[in-house]
Amino acid sequence: MGRLTDKRIWITGASGGLGERLAYSCVAEGAHVFLSARREDRLQEVKNTITARGGRCDVIPFDVRHAEEAENVRRLIGHVDVLINNAGFGIFETAADSSLDDMKSMFEVNVFGLIACTKACLPVMLHAKSGHIINIASQAGKLATPKSSLYSATKHAVLGYSNALRLELAGTGVAVTTVNPGPIKTDFFTIADKEGSYVKSVGRWMLDADRVAERITSVILTDKREINLPGWMSLGTKLYQLFPSFTEKLAGRVLKKK
């Protein structure tokens, strides 16, 4: 028995990385998790680990780029108490070198898929007068850096959407939390940082995926507005928002670590 016993939690992007760790963390608190991602084989491996531990897990393969299918997935799940929009990816390239295909794919996954899953769950949550939508954004949504123009743009969009949604849902019983982590030790960087230069530069500061997952799990079904990790990076983004020109001059070299 745990704090989330019998709560039904849908996690997208759950075949690895933070999504997988979130699944384990939620199950440890008694939740029944529903896992979505493109890679069914990896989802099944995660499910096998969960069931071996006595947890409850269902797998529903789903590529969030196909936003029109989100409602069908939600119907397969039934009632959803918590939606964790975790699916996302990035590619670190200059604006000049970025392709239109990369732009389309990143917005389809990071923004349109997130919105589609949210819209699919909202009627159920509003009817129940309870629920929680957790959107995994990024510190990049608050502080853009070189070679992340497209990725930062998608995360800015996620924050804007989430902030407006939170205001719309005030008083309905449905909470909205955004999670803004810095770099996390996951396979995210196998795509984002193909040269490995960014990982070498910031590796010692990377967040542990299990600890991030536990932090997120601890605020499920609360009215927590934001989670910003790590704390020192959050202070940097606040400084940037107050004094953008000064921060760019002061931390210019650091911001160009990619």
Side-chain angles (χ1 to χ4, degrees):
M1 299 293 288
R3 192 176 63 83
L4 302 178
T5 296
D6 295 330
K7 297 302 180 183
R8 300 166 68 86
I9 300 179
W10 180 15
I11 306 173
T12 66
S15 60
L18 180 60
E20 177 182 357
R21 297 298 155 181
L22 280 166
Y24 299 149
S25 182
C26 290
V27 166
E29 289 292 332
H32 181 173
V33 296
F34 297 82
L35 310 182
S36 292
R38 292 180 301 164
R39 299 161 56 191
E40 185 174 3
D41 58 335
R42 278 292 298 131
L43 288 175
Q44 289 294 342
E45 291 175 11
V46 176
K47 178 180 179 179
N48 291 340
T49 299
I50 289 173
T51 54
R53 298 175 182 179
R56 289 176 295 170
C57 175
D58 284 286
V59 163
I60 306 176
F62 168 49
D63 185 345
V64 298
R65 287 180 297 182
H66 302 149
E68 69 280 358
E69 297 179 8
E71 176 59 27
N72 292 332
V73 175
R74 205 284 307 158
R75 288 174 181 169
L76 288 173
I77 296 172
H79 179 74
V80 176
D81 292 298
V82 181
L83 167 65
I84 304 181
N85 281 309
N86 171 73
F89 79 101
I91 298 175
F92 294 160
E93 288 183 330
T94 64
D97 292 334
S98 300
S99 71
L100 293 180
D101 285 340
D102 289 342
M103 174 201 69
K104 181 179 178 182
S105 294
M106 264 188 269
F107 271 90
E108 284 177 339
V109 174
N110 298 1
V111 182
F112 304 149
L114 177 148
I115 292 172
C117 292
T118 300
K119 284 180 63 64
C121 292
L122 274 177
V124 175
M125 292 180 176
L126 289 171
H127 180 74
K129 297 182 180 180
S130 69
H132 198 169
I133 297 163
I134 300 176
N135 292 330
I136 308 300
S138 171
Q139 288 292 323
K142 294 190 170 187
L143 174 57
T145 57
K147 297 183 71 174
S148 66
S149 55
L150 293 179
Y151 180 69
S152 291
T154 66
K155 295 306 182 178
H156 275 275
V158 168
L159 288 175
Y161 175 76
S162 301
N163 290 340
L165 182 65
R166 185 183 300 108
L167 292 172
E168 290 179 9
L169 297 177
T172 66
V174 181
V176 178
T177 299
T178 52
V179 182
N180 305 305
I184 305 173
K185 293 179 183 177
T186 67
D187 57 4
F188 171 89
F189 293 100
T190 60
I191 296 176
D193 181 36
K194 294 179 181 178
E195 296 178 359
S197 57
Y198 181 65
V199 172
K200 289 180 182 178
S201 298
V202 303
R204 64 183 179 276
W205 295 312
M206 282 189 168
L207 297 163
D208 178 77
D210 285 311
R211 291 187 178 181
V212 176
E214 290 168 4
R215 179 74 179 97
I216 296 168
T217 303
S218 72
V219 306
I220 289 178
L221 298 179
T222 73
D223 60 357
K224 182 71 173 178
R225 187 181 188 278
E226 283 188 341
I227 297 175
N228 292 287
L229 299 169
W232 64 266
M233 187 174 288
S234 177
L235 290 175
T237 59
K238 289 178 181 177
L239 181 65
Y240 178 75
Q241 290 164 349
L242 291 172
F243 309 104
S245 296
F246 172 76
T247 305
E248 287 174 357
K249 291 179 181 179
L250 181 67
R253 291 183 179 180
V254 176
L255 297 179
K256 294 179 180 179
K257 285 291 186 180
K258 296 186 186 69

